[in-house]
Amino acid sequence: MNLYKYVSEKLNEKLGFDAKLETPRNREFGDFSTNAAMVMAKNAGKNPRELANEILPKIAELDFVESASVAGPGFINLKIKDDFLWHAVQSAATITQTTNPMVIDMDYGAYNVAKSLHIGHLRTSIVGDTFNRIARSVGHKTFSWNHIGDWGKPMGLVIAWIERLHPELPYFRDDFNPNTLVDYEIDADELNTYYPAASALAKQDPEFQLHAQEIKAKFQSGHPGYFALYEKFLAISLRTMNNTVQRLNILPFDYDLGERNAAKYLDPVEKILREKNMIYKNDGAEIINVKRKDDNKPMPPYMWRDSRGADTYDSTDLAAVYCRKQTDNPDRIIYITDLRQSLHFEQLFRVADMSGIYPYDRFEHIGYGTINGDDGKPFKTRDGNAAGLDDILDAANDAVTARIASTDKKLDADTIQMIALAAVKFNDLLHDVRADYIFDPKQITSFEGRTGPYVLYTAVRLNSVLRRAGEFEQSANAVEMNADERNLIIELLDFDRTVQSAFESRATDLVANYAYDLCQLINTFYHNCPILRDDVPADTRAMRLDLVQIAANVLTRTVDLMGLKIPKEM
RNA sequence: GCGCCCGUAGCACAAUGGAUAAUGCAACAGAUUUCUAAUCUGUGGAUUGCAGGUUCGAGUCCUGCCGGGCGUGCCA
């Protein structure tokens, strides 16, 4: 139930005017207000307050309006009838389904083979997952694509590194037989050290660098030994990625297909580009000019092949678009990546459009800001290294464990993990996606106030009341409601609208902020309005239990959109 | 140089062009005969970077400046 939309439509219908409904910051002004009179006054050449007073009787005719009054420069403030609110709030947890369902491809995650996840993967995973859940909840069909880095230069480096460690392995022989069983196992943690080590060496040692490039070229053109080795560590990486997905409690990706898969589509894409004469040679590279006459910004060419003749990030991304068009035929393709890739995506969208592969206006890039340390620079661990995703989750886990140790609570490991994860994810979702934010481990681990644990705690309290109440009858009518109950009901009725806005404006932070606002009202209600106590009249108890149930339903849905799990106790 | 993003209290962060700029942390003062005190209530703390403009109304839109971040052909 989207109360805002309902009131807005009824009001506009009644006035025959497309007025904008507002929710006053100060609840004392009313439940809603409209600036209709102020807007109309201009055309009518009348005083806004005068006009407002003329409209007032019409508004009072609406059956859900308790009272309406004129205030300030000409606002019309409305108060909704309690009966109506009570009726409406029964379906507060229902999300209105879109009348125009789309197929949406979402590209987020972008994990890498043989390279552990770092803090940079946090936002794409968390925001991407929540946005995916939001899109699905309003009725769209989505496909999530984890566009894995599993094909390019890093693969050459990793293979070269393994050759350096174990030159005796048969994979490196040109006559390697793919049916050979090789007794070689790689430890997942150790594998994650190979790429950084190889990359560092390549920078110092041109010979190693060259060798890795040769390996990459042979690998991509089908060297059986390299490929067999690749499949070995690919499997390990995929397992590691899967562990991360589970640890983060994000939905499984519909496709774990990245650059290697996209590379299969390079030929048909190149054919299209050549037919349209889009590819030019320049400085040894093959490029596509995407500059427009009216561009007033830098617009470098799209790099189809680099000067060594190798495929690039640019070419596989375009091929991936082609692939998605073939497989899902999506109405929209939405990328959720670091903001710094904006130019790349602008170029990609232009090339896709120019080549007729996919239209420009159906692409979207949601760019998120950087996670910074308290010095305002990209977050690093204390030893100066880029923080690993697991380091962050471990730190949160430790903090929760320490917090519990200081109380007489006893919580199991699963519960601790749920709380720690909520702390990290909620903090990430709380911030405007497009802005940088400061990641403060101290703040993350304080668990007071506007935090994930606060939200979980609120849900746990509600569930606890319901559990203790046992079976109860639904109250038929609302008894008179007090301010705490009424405020909570109004907020509950804002759930549907919040989810709709979050989807429409691609703003996952709206959901997180809503969750917090809702929890504040729930806790105030919980504190001021006893439910199961002996001195509470039966009809009041029934009504409050209903309210608790509805609040629990709405909060559970909200928490679910953020991919958090509610523990039994905490 | 050019382009994009950002500037709100000591810190962090919010505000569909609307009314007294919301909230958290930190500080101080309170609340538990109660369903979980990871809670609740209150106090102090803001010339919304600066200067103009548009508007009945600007933190929000426009212009200029100051400050910061990022991007700007072979890294992804």
Side-chain angles (χ1 to χ4, degrees), chain A residues 224-239:
Chain A
Y226 294 158
F227 198 77
L229 178 57
Y230 164 83
E231 291 214 296
K232 198 147 222 167
F233 62 71
L234 175 67
I236 295 167
S237 278
L238 287 173
R239 229 177 297 141

Side-chain angles (χ1 to χ4, degrees), chain A residues 38-81:
Chain A
M38 289 187 284
V39 179
M40 288 165 94
K42 200 168 184 188
N43 292 332
K46 286 188 182 173
N47 176 301
R49 283 194 66 108
E50 224 171 275
L51 195 63
N53 276 306
E54 286 172 29
I55 300 171
L56 218 49
K58 273 187 146 181
I59 292 176
E61 285 170 21
L62 291 164
D63 58 2
F64 54 83
V65 172
E66 170 77 31
S67 62
S69 59
V70 179
F75 290 104
I76 299 171
N77 293 325
L78 319 179
K79 198 166 177 227
I80 309 295
K81 283 181 180 160

Side-chain angles (χ1 to χ4, degrees), chain A residues 185-188 231-246 256:
Chain A
E185 293 303 326
I186 314 172
D187 176 75
E231 291 214 296
K232 198 147 222 167
F233 62 71
L234 175 67
I236 295 167
S237 278
L238 287 173
R239 229 177 297 141
T240 309
M241 288 177 208
N242 192 40
N243 289 342
T244 303
V245 165
Q246 288 190 0
D256 279 310

Side-chain angles (χ1 to χ4, degrees), chain A residues 340-358:
Chain A
R340 286 174 287 194
Q341 296 190 37
S342 300
L343 180 56
H344 165 71
F345 285 108
E346 173 66 21
Q347 293 178 298
L348 170 65
F349 300 167
R350 287 186 184 193
V351 173
D353 192 69
M354 286 157 60
S355 58
I357 289 172
Y358 199 81

